[in-house]
PDB file of all heavy atoms in Angstrom:
ATOM      1  N   GLN A 599      12.731  19.174  -7.960  1.00  0.00           N
ATOM      2  CA  GLN A 599      11.659  18.592  -7.157  1.00  0.00           C
ATOM      3  C   GLN A 599      10.321  18.718  -7.874  1.00  0.00           C
ATOM      4  O   GLN A 599       9.966  19.795  -8.352  1.00  0.00           O
ATOM      5  CB  GLN A 599      11.584  19.277  -5.788  1.00  0.00           C
ATOM      6  CG  GLN A 599      10.547  18.650  -4.869  1.00  0.00           C
ATOM      7  CD  GLN A 599      10.549  19.270  -3.485  1.00  0.00           C
ATOM      8  OE1 GLN A 599       9.490  19.541  -2.920  1.00  0.00           O
ATOM      9  NE2 GLN A 599      11.723  19.504  -2.923  1.00  0.00           N
ATOM     10  N   PRO A 600       9.551  17.640  -7.943  1.00  0.00           N
ATOM     11  CA  PRO A 600       8.213  17.708  -8.557  1.00  0.00           C
ATOM     12  C   PRO A 600       7.267  18.583  -7.730  1.00  0.00           C
ATOM     13  O   PRO A 600       7.519  18.845  -6.555  1.00  0.00           O
ATOM     14  CB  PRO A 600       7.749  16.240  -8.543  1.00  0.00           C
ATOM     15  CG  PRO A 600       8.992  15.431  -8.363  1.00  0.00           C
ATOM     16  CD  PRO A 600       9.914  16.273  -7.541  1.00  0.00           C
ATOM     17  N   ASP A 601       6.191  19.004  -8.360  1.00  0.00           N
ATOM     18  CA  ASP A 601       5.147  19.736  -7.661  1.00  0.00           C
ATOM     19  C   ASP A 601       4.192  18.709  -7.061  1.00  0.00           C
ATOM     20  O   ASP A 601       3.326  18.160  -7.746  1.00  0.00           O
ATOM     21  CB  ASP A 601       4.399  20.656  -8.622  1.00  0.00           C
ATOM     22  CG  ASP A 601       3.254  21.404  -7.943  1.00  0.00           C
ATOM     23  OD1 ASP A 601       3.136  21.315  -6.702  1.00  0.00           O
ATOM     24  OD2 ASP A 601       2.475  22.068  -8.660  1.00  0.00           O
ATOM     25  N   TYR A 602       4.348  18.445  -5.763  1.00  0.00           N
ATOM     26  CA  TYR A 602       3.575  17.371  -5.152  1.00  0.00           C
ATOM     27  C   TYR A 602       2.096  17.717  -5.003  1.00  0.00           C
ATOM     28  O   TYR A 602       1.262  16.818  -4.856  1.00  0.00           O
ATOM     29  CB  TYR A 602       4.189  16.969  -3.814  1.00  0.00           C
ATOM     30  CG  TYR A 602       5.472  16.190  -4.024  1.00  0.00           C
ATOM     31  CD1 TYR A 602       6.716  16.762  -3.774  1.00  0.00           C
ATOM     32  CD2 TYR A 602       5.436  14.898  -4.529  1.00  0.00           C
ATOM     33  CE1 TYR A 602       7.882  16.064  -4.009  1.00  0.00           C
ATOM     34  CE2 TYR A 602       6.598  14.182  -4.772  1.00  0.00           C
ATOM     35  CZ  TYR A 602       7.821  14.768  -4.502  1.00  0.00           C
ATOM     36  OH  TYR A 602       8.972  14.076  -4.747  1.00  0.00           O
ATOM     37  N   ARG A 603       1.764  18.995  -5.039  1.00  0.00           N
ATOM     38  CA  ARG A 603       0.342  19.349  -4.997  1.00  0.00           C
ATOM     39  C   ARG A 603      -0.390  18.808  -6.233  1.00  0.00           C
ATOM     40  O   ARG A 603      -1.551  18.400  -6.160  1.00  0.00           O
ATOM     41  CB  ARG A 603       0.175  20.865  -4.908  1.00  0.00           C
ATOM     42  CG  ARG A 603       0.640  21.451  -3.573  1.00  0.00           C
ATOM     43  CD  ARG A 603       0.348  22.936  -3.479  1.00  0.00           C
ATOM     44  NE  ARG A 603       0.879  23.504  -2.253  1.00  0.00           N
ATOM     45  CZ  ARG A 603       0.265  23.451  -1.071  1.00  0.00           C
ATOM     46  NH1 ARG A 603      -0.916  22.858  -0.974  1.00  0.00           N
ATOM     47  NH2 ARG A 603       0.802  23.981   0.011  1.00  0.00           N
ATOM     48  N   SER A 604       0.302  18.815  -7.372  1.00  0.00           N
ATOM     49  CA  SER A 604      -0.323  18.321  -8.603  1.00  0.00           C
ATOM     50  C   SER A 604      -0.391  16.796  -8.637  1.00  0.00           C
ATOM     51  O   SER A 604      -1.168  16.212  -9.395  1.00  0.00           O
ATOM     52  CB  SER A 604       0.454  18.825  -9.828  1.00  0.00           C
ATOM     53  OG  SER A 604       1.745  18.246  -9.881  1.00  0.00           O
ATOM     54  N   ILE A 605       0.419  16.137  -7.807  1.00  0.00           N
ATOM     55  CA  ILE A 605       0.420  14.676  -7.758  1.00  0.00           C
ATOM     56  C   ILE A 605      -0.760  14.152  -6.949  1.00  0.00           C
ATOM     57  O   ILE A 605      -1.244  13.053  -7.180  1.00  0.00           O
ATOM     58  CB  ILE A 605       1.764  14.173  -7.192  1.00  0.00           C
ATOM     59  CG1 ILE A 605       2.854  14.335  -8.257  1.00  0.00           C
ATOM     60  CG2 ILE A 605       1.688  12.723  -6.731  1.00  0.00           C
ATOM     61  CD1 ILE A 605       4.238  14.014  -7.772  1.00  0.00           C
ATOM     62  N   PHE A 606      -1.262  14.964  -6.025  1.00  0.00           N
ATOM     63  CA  PHE A 606      -2.417  14.557  -5.230  1.00  0.00           C
ATOM     64  C   PHE A 606      -3.664  14.518  -6.116  1.00  0.00           C
ATOM     65  O   PHE A 606      -4.068  15.533  -6.685  1.00  0.00           O
ATOM     66  CB  PHE A 606      -2.653  15.542  -4.091  1.00  0.00           C
ATOM     67  CG  PHE A 606      -1.778  15.309  -2.883  1.00  0.00           C
ATOM     68  CD1 PHE A 606      -0.549  14.669  -2.994  1.00  0.00           C
ATOM     69  CD2 PHE A 606      -2.172  15.739  -1.630  1.00  0.00           C
ATOM     70  CE1 PHE A 606       0.257  14.460  -1.898  1.00  0.00           C
ATOM     71  CE2 PHE A 606      -1.373  15.536  -0.519  1.00  0.00           C
ATOM     72  CZ  PHE A 606      -0.151  14.897  -0.648  1.00  0.00           C
ATOM     73  N   ALA A 607      -4.265  13.341  -6.232  1.00  0.00           N
ATOM     74  CA  ALA A 607      -5.524  13.192  -6.972  1.00  0.00           C
ATOM     75  C   ALA A 607      -6.653  13.304  -5.960  1.00  0.00           C
ATOM     76  O   ALA A 607      -7.157  12.297  -5.441  1.00  0.00           O
ATOM     77  CB  ALA A 607      -5.558  11.859  -7.700  1.00  0.00           C
ATOM     78  N   SER A 608      -7.072  14.518  -5.666  1.00  0.00           N
ATOM     79  CA  SER A 608      -7.977  14.753  -4.547  1.00  0.00           C
ATOM     80  C   SER A 608      -9.447  14.468  -4.854  1.00  0.00           C
ATOM     81  O   SER A 608     -10.233  14.224  -3.932  1.00  0.00           O
ATOM     82  CB  SER A 608      -7.837  16.196  -4.052  1.00  0.00           C
ATOM     83  OG  SER A 608      -8.113  17.105  -5.089  1.00  0.00           O
ATOM     84  N   LYS A 609      -9.842  14.494  -6.121  1.00  0.00           N
ATOM     85  CA  LYS A 609     -11.273  14.382  -6.435  1.00  0.00           C
ATOM     86  C   LYS A 609     -11.884  13.053  -5.973  1.00  0.00           C
ATOM     87  O   LYS A 609     -12.967  13.056  -5.351  1.00  0.00           O
ATOM     88  CB  LYS A 609     -11.524  14.575  -7.928  1.00  0.00           C
ATOM     89  CG  LYS A 609     -13.022  14.681  -8.256  1.00  0.00           C
ATOM     90  CD  LYS A 609     -13.269  14.968  -9.725  1.00  0.00           C
ATOM     91  CE  LYS A 609     -14.746  15.217 -10.000  1.00  0.00           C
ATOM     92  NZ  LYS A 609     -15.622  14.134  -9.485  1.00  0.00           N
ATOM     93  N   PRO A 610     -11.274  11.888  -6.246  1.00  0.00           N
ATOM     94  CA  PRO A 610     -11.873  10.638  -5.748  1.00  0.00           C
ATOM     95  C   PRO A 610     -12.018  10.633  -4.232  1.00  0.00           C
ATOM     96  O   PRO A 610     -13.024  10.149  -3.700  1.00  0.00           O
ATOM     97  CB  PRO A 610     -10.883   9.563  -6.219  1.00  0.00           C
ATOM     98  CG  PRO A 610     -10.215  10.168  -7.412  1.00  0.00           C
ATOM     99  CD  PRO A 610     -10.099  11.618  -7.095  1.00  0.00           C
TER     100      PRO A 610
END
Side-chain angles (χ1 to χ4, degrees):
Q599 184 176 137
D601 178 8
Y602 287 106
R603 292 185 184 278
S604 67
I605 286 174
F606 278 25
S608 58
K609 189 176 186 307

